[in-house]
């Protein structure tokens, strides 16, 4: 990225690339500067707004992230990624009902995506919409019978229902122990 940036420092893409490179090195102030540059260069780019929002979400700045993610969603309504990240921000902010509503809108356009349905199921469980969560788990089983997160979702659902023994038994069956 540095070589590309040296050749064309006014490229939003190379600024984004360097922003992520510095982010992965833990150099957050440097990273922030490159994302800020990319946004100044292309403020109406869906990709730039998505990456700026993703960067801010990665830092835990969820409210600020949603500003850019919403802009990215408006600029490219066909891309579900900004809305997925918005739903995650809402979840991290403890706004579980809103997260579930957002993820429901996403899966309505991509019904067969087990990963999106998994995220939606998690939001439903956190929002206390347990019957709907159970229906989602059944739907995921129909779409992807061997989906690796099903035992974890079932364990979370059992825990939310207060079924401690069942939740612990299901968790023991899961190869995935954390979200």
């Amino acid at each position: 990225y540095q070589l590309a940036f040296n050749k064309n420092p006014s490229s939003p893409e190379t600024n984004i690339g360097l922003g992520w490179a510095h982010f992965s090195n833990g150099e957050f102030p440097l990273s922030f500067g490159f994302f800020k540059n990319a946004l100044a260069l292309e403020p109406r780019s869906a990709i730039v707004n998505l990456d700026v929002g993703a960067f801010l979400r990665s830092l835990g700045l969820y409210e600020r992230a949603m500003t850019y993610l919403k802009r990215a969603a408006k600029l490219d309504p066909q891309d579900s990624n900004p809305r997925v990240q918005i739903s995650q921000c809402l979840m991290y902010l403890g706004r579980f009902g809103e997260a579930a509503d957002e993820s429901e809108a996403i899966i309505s356009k991509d019904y067969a995506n087990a990963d999106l349905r998994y995220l939606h199921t998690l939001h439903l469980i956190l929002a206390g919409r347990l019957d709907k969560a159970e229906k989602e788990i059944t739907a995921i089983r129909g779409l992807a019978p061997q989906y690796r997160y099903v035992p974890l979702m079932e364990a979370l659902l059992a825990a939310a229902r207060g079924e401690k023994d069942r939740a612990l038994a299901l968790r023991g069956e899961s190869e995935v122990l954390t979200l």
Side-chain angles (χ1 to χ4, degrees), residues 23-132:
F23 174 81
S24 47
N25 289 332
E27 301 163 336
F28 304 130
L30 275 173
S31 186
F32 180 81
F34 284 106
F35 282 106
K36 186 177 177 181
N37 288 346
L39 193 59
L41 291 164
E42 286 287 340
R44 305 248 338 120
S45 164
I47 293 169
V48 169
N49 279 279
L50 174 62
D51 276 282
V52 168
F55 167 69
L56 293 169
R57 183 184 63 81
S58 297
L59 294 176
L61 300 171
Y62 306 121
E63 291 286 352
R64 286 182 67 192
M66 285 194 295
T67 299
Y68 298 99
L69 295 169
K70 287 176 182 177
R71 190 176 301 150
K74 281 184 182 176
L75 291 167
D76 186 358
Q78 300 307 313
D79 185 2
S80 64
N81 193 354
R83 294 190 71 187
V84 168
Q85 292 198 43
I86 290 167
S87 75
Q88 291 172 321
C89 289
L90 291 166
M91 180 182 69
Y92 297 142
L93 288 167
R95 294 161 53 184
F96 304 129
E98 290 175 69
D101 294 342
E102 185 70 27
S103 60
E104 185 172 6
I106 297 164
I107 64 167
S108 72
K109 295 179 181 178
D110 195 358
Y111 189 79
N113 186 319
D115 291 329
L116 292 178
R117 295 192 78 135
Y118 161 69
L119 181 64
H120 181 55
T121 303
L122 177 60
H123 294 160
L124 289 170
I125 292 169
L126 291 170
R129 300 176 189 172
L130 305 183
D131 291 340
K132 284 187 174 186

